[in-house]
Amino acid sequence: MERILTPRGGGRTYAICKYAVKNNCNILVPTQGTAVRCAQDYIKEIARALDVQYYGYSINHQCFVVDLQSRERGEYKVYILVASEFLDHYRELHLENKPLVVDDIDRCFQFMCFPDIQIAACSMVTYDPSEVALTPPTTSQKAPRNECVCDSLI
């Protein structure tokens, strides 16, 4: 499983959307509105950059469906699902045969399981601590001098 670990504002949603477009995955976002629109806008931008044709979107079973076409895959769809909706709405779409990427997994989990309860802490399987340790950049890595880099993300 690919892990995208960056602080808020670090480009996680963009990275998740890029992964979904490149690998023909569906996307789970925490809520309707901004999260869905953001993912849709990113997919449109990413498609242009990857030479993937963006045909627009539609709404099907309370989720956004983005229509794409590439030389490698032909026509395909990326479904943007919302964790705050009842997941039963998506059952008849038969999405189980297609990989799913999750944006803001902690917020998705909260909406799916305990929307009215504040989750005080959670644990997640992550990289080995040495892989995610921030270290000064090497001379071959392009980073400002006063910033550190995470070797596993390079």
Side-chain angles (χ1 to χ4, degrees):
M1 175 174 49
E2 184 82 17
R3 293 173 183 90
I4 298 168
L5 305 171
T6 61
R8 188 149 311 279
R12 284 188 323 273
T13 301
Y14 185 90
I16 281 288
C17 291
K18 186 174 182 179
Y19 187 92
V21 170
K22 282 179 146 182
N23 297 288
N24 190 16
C25 300
N26 294 322
I27 303 170
L28 180 67
V29 298
T31 60
Q32 287 272 11
T34 308
V36 173
R37 285 283 178 210
C38 183
Q40 184 225 338
D41 289 345
Y42 282 155
I43 290 171
K44 189 175 188 178
E45 181 181 322
I46 290 161
R48 233 182 329 225
L50 296 176
D51 196 29
V52 172
Q53 184 67 42
Y54 173 88
Y55 288 119
Y57 69 92
S58 59
I59 299 174
N60 182 359
H61 299 283
Q62 299 184 350
C63 66
F64 273 65
V65 183
V66 181
D67 294 309
L68 302 168
Q69 182 177 9
S70 71
R71 288 187 187 113
E72 298 83 29
R73 296 195 185 287
E75 291 184 9
Y76 64 106
K77 299 177 183 307
V78 173
Y79 287 79
I80 304 173
L81 312 169
V82 180
S84 60
E85 294 293 322
F86 292 111
L87 297 181
D88 286 342
H89 294 220
Y90 306 131
R91 288 204 194 283
E92 62 190 66
L93 296 174
H94 300 288
L95 302 174
E96 57 274 355
N97 296 327
K98 190 169 175 184
L100 179 72
V101 296
V102 182
D103 187 35
D104 284 336
I105 194 166
D106 55 334
R107 292 183 61 219
C108 287
F109 175 77
Q110 182 169 8
F111 282 114
M112 290 168 64
C113 300
F114 307 103
D116 299 324
I117 298 173
Q118 178 184 354
I119 297 175
C122 64
S123 66
M124 293 174 48
V125 175
T126 61
Y127 292 100
D128 179 276
S130 64
E131 293 178 323
V132 295
L134 295 175
T135 58
T138 64
T139 54
S140 64
Q141 297 170 344
K142 295 182 180 180
R145 286 186 185 169
N146 60 346
E147 290 188 13
C148 292
V149 295
C150 178
D151 293 334
S152 65
L153 299 176
I154 296 175

